[in-house]
C-alpha cells in the first residue's frame, strides 16, 4: 500500500490547478499575511481549504413543462468563530472557485468587524432574468431544500447577494421552516421587515462603504464635499453608496452597469438615476447624461472610485489607468492581487472589500440577534451601532497598517486571520 504522506500545500482535488479563479486570489492574500501570524501560523493551512463544500443539483419544472437542471453550491469556509454566514448569488457564470473565494472573504470580513460568525457563501448557476417569477421561486425553494442539510439559524445563515433580494430570502425562510416544521426566522437575514427583517439592512452595505470612505478621506485630508466619484455597479450597494455620497456634497460623475456607462462632469442627479434604473433596469439612456464606451470608465478623472459589481474588474490591464486617489471596494474581490500592487505602488489608497462592504453582514448580525430575542430595534439605533462598529474596525485596521507599513488589505487580513486562528487554537483539534 502506498504511504499516505501529505503533500506540503495540496490543493483540493476538485479544483483545476491551472485555473484557480478567484480562489487563487484569496490564496495569494493569505500568503501575504502569513509572515505576520506568529505562532498562529501553524494553523494557516486551515484557511487554505474550505471546511465543507456542497454541490447540489437543482432540478425544476419550467412553466412550459420542460425539466431544467441548475448547479448550486454552498461552501462553509470556516466555522471556528461561529456559524457560517454569507450570501447566496444567482448568476449564470457562478463557479465553485468563486463561491469558495467568496466564502473565505466572508470569514475574513466577519472576523474584521468581530461579529461572531465564520464564513460561508452560496450560489446557483442561473440567469434569473431568464426565469419567470414562478420559476425563480421554484429554483430558490429547491436549492434551499437541497442545502437544508447544512444550513440553520445556528449552523449557517444565508443572506442576499448578487441578484437575490428580500423576496428570495422570504422563500428561503419559508422553505426551510416548512422542512423543519417550525417558523425559523433566524435561518436567513435580509428578509422583508414583516418577516423578521431588520430596519436599515437593505441600505447597510452602501452605508458601510460611505462610512469607511469618510473615515479614510478624513485621515488623508481629502474633503468629501466636491469629491468626484465613479461607481461601477448601481444595484443595492452602488446605488445606496452613490446616494449617500451625493447627499454629503460629493459629485457622482460616472456610473457604469450592465446596460452602459453614464457620465456628467458636473455630477449626475443620483435621484433621477435611481428612478431611471428602477423603471428601465439599467443606467443607460438616463436623461441629462452623456454615454461613454465602457472601457473609458477606468480613465475617468475622479477622487474616489467604487467598484460595486463583480470580482476581478480591476486587473493589471486597467489598474495603471485609474486616476482616483482612493478605491473603495463595494464588491467582493474586485481587484486582483497584481492590480492591488499596481495601485499601491502608484499611491492609490485601496479600502478592501473585507472592511469596505462589511456593513451588510454587520446589520445581518443585528437582524439575527433581533430574531432570536424577538425584540426589534429602531433604525436610528441600528445605524448608530453600525457606525460604531465600522468606525472602530476601520480605526484598528488603519493603526495596524501604519504599525507594520502594509496595505489596508493586509492589515485587515492580519487582524481577521489572527482572530480566526486564535479561536481555532483555543478550540484545539478534534478528535
Ligand atoms: N452578501 C453580503 C456580503 O457579501 C452580505 C452577507 C450577509 O449579510 O450575510 O457581505
Amino acid at each position: 500500500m502506498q504511504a499516505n504522506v501529505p503533500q506540503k500545500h495540496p490543493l483540493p482535488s476538485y479544483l483545476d490547478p491551472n485555473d484557480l479563479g478567484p480562489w487563487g486570489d484569496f490564496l495569494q492574500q493569505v500568503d501575504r499575511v502569513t509572515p505576520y501570524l506568529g505562532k498562529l501560523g501553524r494553523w494557516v493551512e486551515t484557511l487554505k481549504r474550505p471546511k465543507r463544500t456542497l454541490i447540489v443539483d437543482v432540478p425544476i419544472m419550467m412553466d412550459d413543462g420542460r425539466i431544467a437542471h441548475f448547479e448550486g453550491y454552498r461552501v462553509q469556509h470556516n466555522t471556528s468563530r461561529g456559524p457560517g454566514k454569507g450570501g447566496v448569488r444567482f448568476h449564470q457564470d457562478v463557479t465553485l472557485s468563486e463561491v469558495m473565494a467568496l466564502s473565505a472573504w466572508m470569514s475574513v470580513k466577519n472576523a474584521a468587524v468581530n461579529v461572531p460568525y465564520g464564513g460561508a457563501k452560496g450560489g446557483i448557476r442561473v440567469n434569473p432574468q431568464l426565469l419567470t417569477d414562478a420559476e425563480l421561486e421554484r429554483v430558490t425553494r429547491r436549492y434551499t431544500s437541497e442545502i437544508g442539510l447544512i444550513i440553520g439559524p445556528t449552523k449557517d445563515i444565508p443572506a442576499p447577494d448578487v441578484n437575490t433580494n428580500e423576496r428570495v430570502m422570504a422563500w428561503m425562510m419559508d422553505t426551510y421552516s416548512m422542512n423543519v416544521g417550525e417558523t425559523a426566522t433566524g435561518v436567513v437575514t435580509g428578509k422583508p421587515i414583516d418577516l423578521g427583517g431588520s430596519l436599515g439592512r437593505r441600505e447597510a452595505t452602501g452605508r458601510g462603504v460611505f462610512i469607511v470612505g469618510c473615515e479614510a478621506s478624513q485621515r488623508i485630508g481629502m474633503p468629501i464635499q466636491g469629491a468626484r466619484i465613479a461607481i461601477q455597479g448601481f444595484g443595492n450597494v452602488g446605488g445606496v453608496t452613490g446616494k449617500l455620497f451625493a447627499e454629503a456634497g460629493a459629485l457622482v460623475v460616472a456610473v457604469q452597469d450592465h446596460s452602459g456607462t453614464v457620465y456628467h462632469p458636473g455630477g449626475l442627479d443620483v435621484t433621477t438615476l435611481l428612478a431611471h434604473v428602477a423603471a428601465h433596469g439599467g443606467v443607460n439612456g438616463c436623461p441629462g447624461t452623456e454615454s461613454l464606451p465602457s472601457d473609458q470608465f477606468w480613465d475617468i478623472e475622479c477622487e474616489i472610485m467604487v467598484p460595486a459589481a463583480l470580482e476581478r474588474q480591476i486587473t493589471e490591464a486597467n489598474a495603471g489607468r485609474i486616476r482616483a486617489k482612493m478605491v473603495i471596494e463595494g464588491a467582493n474581490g474586485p481587484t486582483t492581487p497584481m492590480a492591488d500592487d499596481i495601485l499601491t505602488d502608484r499611491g492609490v489608497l485601496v479600502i478592501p472589500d473585507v472592511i469596505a462592504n462589511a456593513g451588510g453582514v454587520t446589520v445581518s448580525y443585528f437582524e439575527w440577534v433581533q430574531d432570536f430575542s424577538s425584540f426589534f430595534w429602531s433604525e436610528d439605533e441600528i445605524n448608530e451601532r453600525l457606525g460604531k462598529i465600522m468606525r472602530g474596525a476601520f480605526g484598528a485596521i488603519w493603526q495596524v497598517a501604519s504599525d507594520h507599513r502594509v496595505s489596508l488589505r493586509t492589515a485587515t487580513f492580519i487582524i481577521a486571520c489572527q482572530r480566526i486562528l486564535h479561536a481555532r487554537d483555543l478550540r484545539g483539534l478534534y478528535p
Side-chain angles (χ1 to χ4, degrees), residues 26 29 42 110-112 134 155 189 232 243 265 267 322 362 370:
F26 171 73
Q29 292 165 353
R42 68 190 278 256
N110 293 334
K155 287 159 91 178
T189 58
Q232 187 198 39
K243 183 167 173 280
I322 290 174
T362 301
Q370 291 171 84

Side-chain angles (χ1 to χ4, degrees), residues 85-89 102 106 109-110 117 121 157-162 189-190 201 205 332 357-358 360-365:
K85 182 88 191 83
V88 173
R89 66 173 55 179
L102 291 164
M106 287 309 306
K109 188 186 307 186
N110 293 334
Y117 293 133
K121 201 83 173 197
I157 306 112
D161 197 74
V162 174
T189 58
R201 172 62 187 85
T205 311
N332 290 307
N357 69 34
V361 73
T362 301
V363 176
S364 276
Y365 166 58

Side-chain angles (χ1 to χ4, degrees), residues 167-234:
R167 190 170 62 149
V168 170
M169 292 306 117
W171 291 328
M172 288 190 76
M173 189 278 268
D174 182 68
T175 305
Y176 178 84
S177 297
M178 287 296 160
N179 285 340
V180 298
E182 63 186 23
T183 296
T185 53
V187 68
V188 293
T189 58
K191 297 178 296 293
I193 305 288
D194 293 334
L195 284 181
S198 176
L199 294 168
R201 172 62 187 85
R202 198 186 301 161
E203 299 78 24
T205 311
R207 186 174 292 279
V209 170
F210 172 69
I211 293 170
V212 294
C214 292
E215 290 293 300
S217 299
Q218 206 192 342
R219 283 172 171 82
I220 63 168
M222 183 182 81
I224 293 295
Q225 180 74 35
R228 293 165 300 177
I229 311 212
I231 304 176
Q232 187 198 39
F234 213 56

Side-chain angles (χ1 to χ4, degrees), residues 205-206 209-210 213 228-234 237-242 245 252 254-256 297-298 302-309 313-314 322 324 326-331 334 351 356-357:
T205 311
V209 170
F210 172 69
R228 293 165 300 177
I229 311 212
I231 304 176
Q232 187 198 39
F234 213 56
V237 181
V240 173
T241 301
F245 272 114
V252 178
V255 173
Q256 174 170 85
F297 177 78
W298 306 108
C302 57
E303 278 67 46
I304 301 177
M305 185 166 268
V306 183
Q313 296 300 299
I314 305 182
I322 290 174
M326 191 192 289
V327 170
I328 317 176
E329 296 183 336
I351 308 182
N357 69 34

